[in-house]
Amino acid sequence: LIGVVLAWLCAYTDIRGKAVIHLFALLPLLIPSYVMTLAWTQMAGPTGLLNRVASWLAGSPVELWNVYGLDGIIVVMGLTHYPLVYMLTLSVLYRIPKELEWAARSSGAGSWTVFRQVTFPLALPGIAGGGLLAFISGLDNFGIPAFLGVPENISVLSTLIYEQVIGFGPSAFARASVLSILLGVIALLGTGMQWLLLRKSRVDQTSAEDRSVRRSLGKQRVVVEGAVWFFLVATSLLPLLSMASTAFVKAYGLPFVPENLTGKHFLFVLRDHAGTREAIENSLMLAGLCGVICMVVGTLFAYWRIQRPSLAGKAMESAVSLPYALPGMVLGLAMILTWIEPIPGWQPGVYGTIWLILIAYVTRFLILQVKSSTVSIMQVGKEVEEAARINGGRVWTRWRRILLPLFAPGMLTGLLLVFLTAFTELTISSLLWSSGSETIGVIIFGFEQAGSTTHSTALSTLIVAATLFLMAAGGLWKRYWQRRVEG
């Protein structure tokens, strides 16, 4: 509902500030879900901002809402995943020919009738595809139910698999494998339905994008804009500010006043805590290596797939896509069972090391680079390379002087996406980490489990700042490079 309403407002109405609204709407998707969950615990937890304000207004202790529990999992998961529905619905709405709506209006149909009988049926494949994608992402999510459900003894499949694996019982891996098969089957069924719906959507909406205003809000525009911005600030910005405020107080629970403020928690996680320093180094190393490997392998595979289309290429792309379609818990358990003894009698020594996490990252995130590079490669005509070949350019010369500069925006976009996703990953790491191979996500999860909320919020605040900085730097570099190539 949130994704569809926001997409319709941005696609068809004269609401102002659409670019900024788009950025705020995508913010919950750019920030790791477990960080957003931690932010919500600081805003809507038992002693969070929401309940403190309610108590102050009532003049006595009041618990307006406690985010911990099943209702909190549902709300936070919905607010984290609605951008998926928003993006897919927005793309479909832009491609619905406005002439169809004009024809309905000229025949006497009102605004609600036009939406119900024309716009909604045409947009339904994209809406349902986005909804199924949010459903699959919810199945895959570990951080939200782990932070909000485990303290209340509420389990979902992903957290139950984790509890079985770390339990180390005689049949722990057998039970976890059964649960993983169940979770994997549900996820693959959802993925298949989403593919069919999006495929139908691509067939139906064949027209070019039309971003013109189709509905003027008139006097209601100010009210609608106020409601949209209230929602975006309350669900995207305010939780992050609440989390940052917790990171600056001397002790958890103290009011945010000047005499209670300190920066010691940031110094602790960056300088004094050896585990955090090692985790940051591990995450940077894993994300960097994963990004470079995926950029090279993914770009070469995408180039081969486009230059020599074949049934084998389609099958290989499907195989590369499968690890990303499967929930992270399923892939993590599969990695454990595979690399303990890949061949009977042979143990390569990968299990229990940081290199198993790297293998899992590359396996899972390679498709992100393949898709990103594919878009960039398809925008470059084959005649460009043919002209270089006719003029005597060798393979390396063609790549170095022609193809790489043209492919660079897509390659670097994929690299940044893979790096950020791997840098803040938690689900796979929670199963595969061992002493000395902790990642940032594991450390934050450990801080929160141990009750060190000020330290977990400090490290999470640094992650949010680093993520936003890298996204901004990547966007500026991409624009600069495109202007340079076009010039």
Side-chain angles (χ1 to χ4, degrees):
L1 287 175
I2 295 170
V4 172
V5 170
L6 193 60
W8 185 84
L9 288 172
C10 288
Y12 286 171
T13 71
D14 57 348
I15 190 171
R16 292 168 292 190
K18 292 182 180 180
V20 184
I21 290 175
H22 186 70
L23 178 63
F24 269 81
L26 295 183
L27 191 60
L29 202 60
L30 300 175
I31 306 300
S33 62
Y34 61 89
V35 173
M36 285 302 300
T37 307
L38 186 60
W40 271 98
T41 63
Q42 302 312 303
M43 190 178 83
T47 60
L49 177 65
L50 186 65
N51 289 320
R52 290 205 306 268
V53 172
S55 300
W56 177 73
L57 292 175
S60 61
V62 174
E63 186 173 279
L64 192 63
W65 182 52
N66 185 356
V67 74
Y68 288 97
L70 190 60
D71 55 339
I73 295 174
I74 294 170
V75 170
V76 175
M77 199 172 282
L79 292 175
T80 303
H81 294 148
Y82 85 84
L84 299 170
V85 185
Y86 165 76
M87 288 190 299
L88 287 175
T89 304
L90 190 69
S91 176
V92 172
L93 290 176
Y94 279 142
R95 295 183 179 278
I96 296 177
K98 61 184 176 184
E99 290 78 12
L100 296 176
E101 297 179 345
W102 288 351
R105 289 182 183 277
S106 63
S107 299
S111 299
W112 172 244
T113 303
V114 171
F115 176 81
R116 182 170 53 87
Q117 295 191 2
V118 179
T119 308
F120 184 74
L122 289 173
L124 185 58
I127 294 171
L132 279 168
L133 184 58
F135 168 78
I136 296 164
S137 300
L139 280 177
D140 180 42
N141 198 286
F142 170 74
I144 295 175
F147 277 70
L148 302 180
V150 171
E152 299 292 323
N153 294 319
I154 296 174
S155 295
V156 298
L157 281 172
S158 60
T159 57
L160 193 56
I161 293 170
Y162 171 78
E163 290 168 357
Q164 292 293 331
V165 171
I166 65 173
F168 292 112
S171 58
F173 281 105
R175 289 195 298 268
S177 298
V178 172
L179 293 170
S180 296
I181 291 173
L182 176 61
L183 183 58
V185 168
I186 297 173
L188 290 178
L189 287 174
T191 302
M193 291 177 63
Q194 185 223 2
W195 177 80
L196 289 173
L197 287 168
L198 290 181
R199 184 169 177 267
K200 185 177 185 300
S201 172
R202 285 195 294 269
V203 172
D204 290 341
Q205 272 73 62
T206 55
S207 57
E209 285 191 355
D210 179 7
R211 303 196 176 205
S212 60
V213 175
R214 306 188 189 188
R215 175 71 184 274
S216 175
L217 295 175
K219 295 180 179 179
Q220 298 177 337
R221 185 169 71 171
V222 176
V223 177
V224 172
E225 288 175 345
V228 168
W229 278 110
F230 175 79
F231 168 78
L232 292 175
V233 170
T235 60
S236 297
L237 188 60
L238 200 56
L240 294 175
L241 293 177
S242 300
M243 180 179 70
S245 67
T246 302
F248 279 102
V249 296
K250 294 179 180 179
Y252 183 64
L254 291 177
F256 190 79
V257 292
E259 58 267 23
N260 291 334
L261 300 185
T262 181
K264 66 178 183 180
H265 305 304
F266 293 95
L267 292 177
F268 177 80
V269 298
L270 288 176
R271 186 188 64 188
D272 301 331
H273 191 258
T276 303
R277 294 200 310 271
E278 191 172 14
I280 293 174
E281 293 172 1
N282 288 339
S283 291
L284 286 172
M285 187 268 289
L286 287 168
L289 285 178
C290 179
V292 172
I293 293 171
C294 287
M295 183 179 67
V296 175
V297 177
T299 301
L300 291 176
F301 176 78
Y303 179 79
W304 171 79
R305 173 82 176 81
I306 294 171
Q307 295 295 321
R308 290 175 171 78
S310 64
L311 187 61
K314 290 183 179 179
M316 290 178 66
E317 186 172 352
S318 299
V320 172
S321 303
L322 184 61
Y324 195 74
L326 287 171
M329 276 293 165
V330 177
L331 180 65
L333 183 60
M335 285 288 162
I336 293 174
L337 298 176
T338 299
W339 288 96
I340 286 179
E341 196 173 70
I343 300 174
W346 178 57
Q347 296 180 349
V350 175
Y351 175 69
T353 68
I354 197 171
W355 306 115
L356 182 58
I357 301 178
L358 177 62
I359 294 171
Y361 281 3
V362 173
T363 303
R364 183 166 175 80
F365 303 134
L366 178 60
I367 189 61
L368 299 178
Q369 182 68 58
V370 171
K371 294 295 185 183
S372 182
S373 295
T374 297
V375 173
S376 185
I377 292 171
M378 290 183 68
Q379 292 176 347
V380 179
K382 294 183 179 180
E383 61 275 5
V384 176
E385 187 177 1
E386 290 295 330
R389 184 184 292 111
I390 292 172
N391 285 277
R394 297 181 179 273
V395 175
W396 171 241
T397 303
R398 295 198 301 269
W399 273 90
R400 180 172 56 88
R401 302 189 61 180
I402 297 175
L403 297 181
L404 282 179
L406 294 175
F407 296 164
M411 292 172 60
L412 269 295
T413 299
L415 172 63
L416 182 62
L417 181 59
V418 171
F419 179 88
L420 288 175
T421 307
F423 183 68
T424 57
E425 202 279 334
L426 171 62
T427 307
I428 295 175
S429 306
S430 66
L431 283 185
L432 301 184
W433 75 275
S434 58
S435 180
S437 63
E438 297 92 341
T439 62
I440 287 178
V442 172
I443 289 293
I444 291 177
F445 183 56
F447 276 147
E448 191 64 15
Q449 291 293 97
S452 300
T453 302
T454 52
H455 297 147
S456 63
T457 53
L459 186 53
S460 296
T461 302
L462 292 173
I463 287 179
V464 172
T467 301
L468 295 178
F469 173 79
L470 287 174
M471 292 295 296
L476 291 174
W477 183 91
K478 184 178 179 181
R479 290 171 59 183
Y480 161 76
W481 186 262
Q482 287 176 335
R483 287 199 302 268
R484 180 180 175 184
V485 171
E486 292 171 359

